[in-house]
Amino acid sequence: MNPDTLKGQFYKGAPTLIDDQLDEAFRSQRGPGATPRISEESSVEGVITPVYDYEYAAPCAAWAYNRLAQSGFPDVFIMPIQADTTAVTEETFTTPYDYVRVDQTFQRELHRKTGASYDNEVFTESNLVQSQLPLLQYTFSNRREEIKIAPVALSAEKTLKSFAIDIQEVAVDLDRSYRVIVPTNIIQYGTAYNFVPFTQQRLQKIQSLDETTLNRIRDNEPLSLLEHVSSNHLSMNNYLGVVLALLLIDPDTVNVEQYYTTHDIDGEDNRIISIAAITLE
């Protein structure tokens, strides 16, 4: 059982308080203006969504989850994260709402097919998966107990194209429908993130880098995105997850639903996190 390491840090510690927090975020000026409604009117196959304190990130993430809700309820939500090793876990996650269960059959098949190790610590030491779970449970509140996730840790040593094909084949073999949730921030600027390449005109330069990053994603150019992140030494905390999602889905349409920075909210420029909600169709 994976403990909730973000309760009281990223989000409130009780279900009713999170409900209020997310109701406000979804209806806020920076949010989509409405709470999620499950339907099948859209064809979103994956979303890219921020990882930060919900006070900052939830209104942005709400755009992605609203569109996810409009694309039906899949058998499993695949959640790729960046790590030092390629691994899967079968352990259940916890949140103030309740448990979030892992699709163990899917994970076992992925382990067998790809050689990914079983390494639960990779997922407990990272906040990437945990940061999304209350949002996912809130969005699909009427089917909360049915939610199944497949967290996958990726390292730079793994060939992402072949890994994407393996995931597709496992899903077909098991007859699983899926959606992909990629938790990532676009840039994390500040000494805490070992990314301080400039000290003047920080916001403008971050926004310029973000524009290039978002264009690479919008144009469905995963290899170009990798080159851009590498050449600029960007502090993008899950770019491998983004690349895998683009390879796995190969979207015809990529929409940046929302984008802003923490500076837009608090005016702080020693620490700036740029975040976006992006849908892949």
Side-chain angles (χ1 to χ4, degrees), residues 81-201:
I81 69 166
Q82 191 163 322
D84 293 329
T85 187
T86 300
V88 295
T89 181
E90 295 183 3
E91 293 293 320
T92 297
F93 288 76
T94 59
T95 75
Y97 282 126
D98 205 345
Y99 304 116
V100 181
R101 291 172 176 82
V102 170
D103 187 330
Q104 294 182 341
T105 303
F106 193 97
Q107 299 294 76
R108 283 193 291 270
E109 283 301 298
L110 203 55
H111 162 72
R112 180 190 63 79
K113 194 173 189 67
T114 67
S117 64
Y118 285 114
D119 188 345
N120 192 58
E121 288 186 8
V122 169
F123 300 93
T124 58
E125 290 172 356
S126 167
N127 61 15
L128 292 171
V129 171
Q130 186 69 45
S131 69
Q132 302 305 306
L133 299 183
L135 279 157
L136 183 60
Q137 291 175 301
Y138 172 86
T139 299
F140 295 97
S141 58
N142 293 337
R143 306 188 67 174
R144 191 172 290 164
E145 294 182 359
E146 301 173 61
I147 293 172
K148 291 285 185 69
I149 62 173
V152 182
L154 308 164
S155 71
E157 297 175 354
K158 186 68 179 177
T159 303
L160 295 180
K161 181 61 176 178
S162 65
F163 202 89
I165 293 171
D166 288 339
I167 291 175
Q168 292 168 339
E169 291 179 350
V170 167
V172 170
D173 291 345
L174 296 176
D175 193 25
R176 295 285 202 274
S177 61
Y178 62 85
R179 300 288 181 268
V180 183
I181 298 174
V182 184
T184 191
N185 298 324
I186 306 304
I187 280 183
Q188 302 177 132
Y189 174 91
T191 55
Y193 307 105
N194 296 314
F195 184 70
V196 192
F198 37 74
T199 57
Q200 302 297 318
Q201 297 182 311

Side-chain angles (χ1 to χ4, degrees), residues 12-30:
K12 305 294 184 182
T16 55
L17 296 178
I18 298 180
D19 279 341
D20 291 343
Q21 185 177 25
L22 291 178
D23 281 347
E24 181 179 352
F26 274 74
R27 293 187 171 115
S28 70
Q29 184 177 1
R30 286 192 170 88

Side-chain angles (χ1 to χ4, degrees), residues 220-242:
N220 189 17
E221 297 179 351
L223 296 182
S224 181
L225 174 63
L226 279 175
E227 191 280 328
H228 167 64
V229 171
S230 176
S231 63
N232 289 283
H233 307 286
L234 295 186
S235 178
M236 184 180 185
N237 56 342
N238 192 18
Y239 63 87
L240 292 181
V242 175

